[in-house]
Amino acid sequence: MYHEIANDIINKINQGDFDTKLPTEQELMARYGVSRNTIRRAIDVVYQRGLLRRVQGSGYYINRQPSASKAIMNLSAGTGNAMHSAETHLTSKVVTFDKVNVDHEYARLMHVPDGTEMYRVVRLRSLEGELYCLEQAYFLTKLIPVLTVEAVNDSILTFLKETYAITPTSSDDFVSVEQLTADQASLLERPVGDSVLCLSQLNYCGNGTFFNYSITHYVYPGIHFYFHAAPLASN
Amino acid sequence: MYHEIANDIINKINQGDFDTKLPTEQELMARYGVSRNTIRRAIDVVYQRGLLRRVQGSGYYINRQPSASKAIMNLSAGTGNAMHSAETHLTSKVVTFDKVNVDHEYARLMHVPDGTEMYRVVRLRSLEGELYCLEQAYFLTKLIPVLTVEAVNDSILTFLKETYAITPTSSDDFVSVEQLTADQASLLERPVGDSVLCLSQLNYCGNGTFFNYSITHYVYPGIHFYFHAAPLASN
DNA sequence: ATTGATTTGTTCGTATGTATC
DNA sequence: GGATACATACGAACAAATCAA
């Protein structure tokens, strides 16, 4: 219930249906026909997405979002949704698609046993003809017995959702500056050793089990990662 | 109330008081003498910090945290708390401490009028003798009429908390790779044009008003930013 | 400047649904 | 199937911050 309401509010905000403030809780309760607790829970979701700031005694104010540049990748909503924002316009060229048994180093990164079998998908992604990133992703074959070529060429996440009902619900994210290896550099048409933004993600699905690791190098000019930190507070 | 409980649980987790699971909600209710709603609210806070994964019908499992390397900066808890983790061991050398009227470019970044008066604090920070980062911070003099030399040499955030009851509650964060200017390079003892990790933060306090902007260049070897994304879910 | 109404923040109690064991 | 444990929802009350008369 509160999920639907949260999504509805998010969509309305993105459509600009509200001016600067959200309606009051009372009005939202009436509009959706639910209790105050449910409305507040829905608003928690929206707030945690960074779309609102809340002021006691006054109301919920809509945050001006950071300039929606193609060069800004929003990581606030978690992996699943970050994909939808800018990544919908990305085109992919599959470089590698096979099964591998991960070596010791990768196994340690993912906290899986040495030699665990995984799908490996390497994709070169572009935005309107300009190289965007080189993505190297691994999926547990134990959880995802079959991964099709169509899915890899299209959207892997929607395939996983539709076929296996697997959706990333949480992730561990590491950001660093890395220097391109010869292989990476040639694919990305960059000098060897060039310093680029690098994002490593460990993705977990509903019940908290690990299912995917990916490491992505971003070369799009002026690329930034953005996220809004709005802890539920505790100090 | 739920803030204190959340903090207590966080501390207990960090001390290793629990093995792999948290006690059940029932037991926590009894232990803290509060209702289930309050316990769940507290657990929401802990969860959102990335310390737990929740499995319906089973329990709350404690996440193994990423290796607590000095080279990993945890951004999950929001600005205020990220400071406490690794930054307590940082030593600061103040490079610049003055008042300025921000120019057009900076004013636009911060969404304040041109020429707004702000404190400027530039600090070179080290970890155990090794250069860590170069931090350039701006504070609205309108909100913080007086900022002392002692505070700048020590912890600015605790000063703001104790003196003005100002604590960052949310922030907009931008991560990018930047090349060092001549000034930055000489301070950081690096070659000019060296590519380093850069973090820009807009910090907001309780009622959602902006009070601080900072841009920090990190040069610590192997530095990584870490954050755990655990949305309240909405899909 | 004080008061009173509005609006969000916190906490309690209770009931029912759903996943796990 | 039954017991346990977390997820969701409703209703109610009071506190605290804001705002307008």
Side-chain angles (χ1 to χ4, degrees):
Chain A
M1 188 78 244
Y2 73 85
H3 298 110
E4 287 88 338
I5 297 176
N7 271 327
D8 193 57
I9 294 175
I10 289 171
N11 291 332
K12 286 205 167 72
I13 289 176
N14 289 333
Q15 289 169 26
D17 285 9
F18 307 115
D19 188 25
T20 59
K21 288 180 63 174
L22 230 58
T24 67
E25 292 178 354
Q26 290 296 333
E27 192 171 327
L28 291 172
M29 286 164 64
R31 187 178 302 187
Y32 291 102
V34 296
S35 74
R36 186 166 171 227
N37 283 335
T38 303
I39 284 295
R40 285 182 60 81
R41 187 74 179 153
I43 290 176
D44 277 346
V45 176
V46 183
Y47 171 74
Q48 209 251 343
R49 280 270 222 292
L51 301 176
L52 296 176
R53 65 180 188 282
R54 30 197 350 170
V55 182
Q56 182 177 165
S58 181
Y60 299 101
Y61 295 84
I62 295 167
N63 279 336
R64 37 180 193 293
Q65 282 301 92
S67 48
S69 157
K70 303 291 185 196
I72 296 183
M73 171 139 181
N74 191 333
L75 299 176
S76 283
T79 322
N81 302 70
M83 303 291 168
H84 295 307
S85 59
E87 299 222 354
T88 26
H89 303 95
L90 288 181
T91 56
S92 302
K93 183 186 158 206
V94 177
V95 176
T96 309
F97 176 35
D98 56 5
K99 284 184 186 178
V100 295
N101 295 298
V102 296
D103 64 18
H104 181 68
E105 186 193 355
Y106 272 120
R108 201 178 54 82
L109 277 174
M110 305 188 219
H111 302 102
V112 296
D114 280 18
T116 301
E117 189 188 64
M118 301 188 85
Y119 278 110
R120 175 173 59 181
V121 183
V122 181
R123 299 191 295 182
L124 199 58
R125 315 197 75 180
S126 305
L127 183 61
E128 292 162 10
E130 185 139 26
L131 281 174
Y132 199 82
C133 65
L134 177 62
E135 173 199 85
Q136 188 169 351
Y138 294 86
F139 299 88
L140 278 180
T141 54
K142 185 174 293 181
L143 285 175
I144 299 135
V146 60
L147 189 59
T148 67
V149 182
E150 293 76 32
V152 167
N153 277 288
D154 192 23
S155 166
I156 298 181
L157 286 185
T158 55
F159 172 80
L160 293 182
K161 187 179 180 182
E162 291 167 0
T163 311
Y164 297 105
I166 289 179
T167 309
T169 56
S170 68
S171 61
D172 287 309
D173 300 67
F174 298 87
V175 178
S176 62
V177 177
E178 301 292 338
Q179 299 184 317
L180 296 179
T181 65
D183 287 347
Q184 294 165 345
S186 83
L187 285 168
L188 288 165
E189 300 169 12
R190 286 261 171 168
V192 176
D194 202 14
S195 295
V196 300
L197 251 193
C198 178
L199 173 65
S200 303
Q201 292 188 307
L202 294 162
N203 281 309
Y204 306 89
C205 58
N207 58 1
T209 58
F210 167 79
F211 77 97
N212 162 250
Y213 170 76
S214 73
I215 177 166
T216 310
H217 294 78
Y218 292 84
V219 295
Y220 199 79
I223 183 77
H224 282 62
F225 293 156
Y226 163 78
F227 64 94
H228 181 86
L232 295 177
S234 143
N235 275 0
Chain B
M1 188 78 241
Y2 73 84
H3 299 110
E4 287 88 338
I5 297 176
N7 272 326
D8 193 57
I9 293 176
I10 290 172
N11 290 333
K12 286 204 167 73
I13 290 177
N14 290 333
Q15 288 169 26
D17 284 10
F18 307 115
D19 188 27
T20 57
K21 287 181 64 174
L22 230 56
T24 67
E25 292 178 353
Q26 292 297 330
E27 192 171 326
L28 291 172
M29 287 165 64
R31 188 178 300 186
Y32 291 101
V34 295
S35 76
R36 187 165 171 230
N37 283 335
T38 304
I39 283 295
R40 283 182 62 81
R41 187 74 178 153
I43 291 176
D44 277 346
V45 175
V46 183
Y47 171 75
Q48 210 251 342
R49 279 270 222 295
L51 300 177
L52 296 176
R53 64 180 189 281
R54 31 198 349 170
V55 182
Q56 183 177 166
S58 181
Y60 298 103
Y61 294 86
I62 295 169
N63 280 335
R64 39 177 192 291
Q65 282 301 91
S67 48
S69 158
K70 303 291 184 195
I72 297 182
M73 172 139 180
N74 191 331
L75 299 177
S76 283
T79 324
N81 302 70
M83 303 292 167
H84 295 306
S85 59
E87 299 221 356
T88 27
H89 304 95
L90 288 181
T91 56
S92 301
K93 183 186 159 205
V94 176
V95 176
T96 308
F97 176 34
D98 56 4
K99 284 184 185 177
V100 294
N101 295 297
V102 297
D103 63 18
H104 181 69
E105 186 194 355
Y106 272 118
R108 200 177 53 82
L109 277 175
M110 305 188 218
H111 302 103
V112 297
D114 280 18
T116 301
E117 188 188 62
M118 301 188 86
Y119 278 110
R120 175 173 59 179
V121 183
V122 182
R123 299 191 295 182
L124 199 56
R125 315 198 76 181
S126 305
L127 183 61
E128 292 163 9
E130 186 139 27
L131 282 174
Y132 200 80
C133 66
L134 178 62
E135 173 199 85
Q136 189 169 350
Y138 295 86
F139 298 88
L140 278 180
T141 55
K142 186 175 290 180
L143 284 175
I144 299 136
V146 59
L147 188 59
T148 67
V149 182
E150 292 76 33
V152 167
N153 276 289
D154 191 24
S155 167
I156 298 180
L157 286 185
T158 56
F159 172 81
L160 292 181
K161 187 178 181 182
E162 291 167 1
T163 311
Y164 296 106
I166 289 179
T167 309
T169 56
S170 68
S171 61
D172 286 310
D173 300 67
F174 298 87
V175 178
S176 62
V177 176
E178 301 292 338
Q179 299 185 316
L180 296 179
T181 66
D183 288 347
Q184 294 165 344
S186 83
L187 285 168
L188 288 166
E189 300 169 10
R190 286 262 172 167
V192 175
D194 202 15
S195 295
V196 300
L197 251 194
C198 178
L199 173 65
S200 303
Q201 291 189 307
L202 295 162
N203 281 309
Y204 306 89
C205 58
N207 58 2
T209 58
F210 167 80
F211 78 97
N212 161 252
Y213 171 76
S214 72
I215 177 166
T216 309
H217 295 77
Y218 292 84
V219 296
Y220 198 79
I223 184 78
H224 282 64
F225 294 156
Y226 163 78
F227 63 94
H228 181 87
L232 295 178
S234 144
N235 275 359

